[in-house]
């Protein structure tokens, strides 16, 4: 499995939609659980879902940092 560069910069996340990725992850899981995929495709789709989960985690971490910064700024005032 090839690891992709971490999408942690806000520029690389431009146009990216958290909710859409969550829906895609749910659809992949549903297809795997329903047995709709050949074994090789299960592994491919599972890898895709893991990558999407990493992107979601990165997105949430960035937003948490922004919230923490805003709270810190408000506390300083």
């Amino acid at each position: 499995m090839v690891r992709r560069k971490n999408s942690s910069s806000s520029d690389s996340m431009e146009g990216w939609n958290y909710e859409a990725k969550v829906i895609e992850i749910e659809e992949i899981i549903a297809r795997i659980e329903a047995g709709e995929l050949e074994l090789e495709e299960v592994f491919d789709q599972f890898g895709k879902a893991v990558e999407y989960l990493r992107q979601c985690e990165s997105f949430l971490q960035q937003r948490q940092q922004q919230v923490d910064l805003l709270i810190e700024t408000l506390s300083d005032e």
Side-chain angles (χ1 to χ4, degrees):
M1 182 174 179
V2 177
R3 284 199 127 171
R4 293 181 186 163
K5 192 174 183 179
N6 190 354
S7 302
S8 61
S9 73
S10 59
D11 293 339
S12 63
M13 301 291 281
E14 198 170 311
W16 187 86
N17 185 288
Y18 178 84
E19 290 80 6
K21 287 299 176 190
V22 169
I23 290 170
E24 288 184 59
I25 293 166
E26 290 173 345
E27 288 172 352
I28 290 170
I29 292 169
R31 290 179 68 204
I32 291 172
E33 289 178 341
E36 296 176 4
L37 307 173
E38 297 291 327
L39 185 58
E40 184 175 343
E41 196 174 5
V42 167
F43 290 115
D44 290 342
Q45 291 297 303
F46 182 78
K48 186 185 289 189
V50 168
E51 180 61 32
Y52 291 164
L53 285 169
R54 287 183 181 139
Q55 291 172 5
C56 289
E57 181 180 30
S58 176
F59 173 83
L60 292 174
Q61 287 174 347
Q62 288 175 10
R63 295 310 179 256
Q64 181 64 50
Q65 288 173 352
Q66 289 175 340
V67 168
D68 291 344
L69 182 61
L70 289 171
I71 291 170
E72 185 178 315
T73 301
L74 288 173
S75 297
D76 290 344
E77 293 179 359

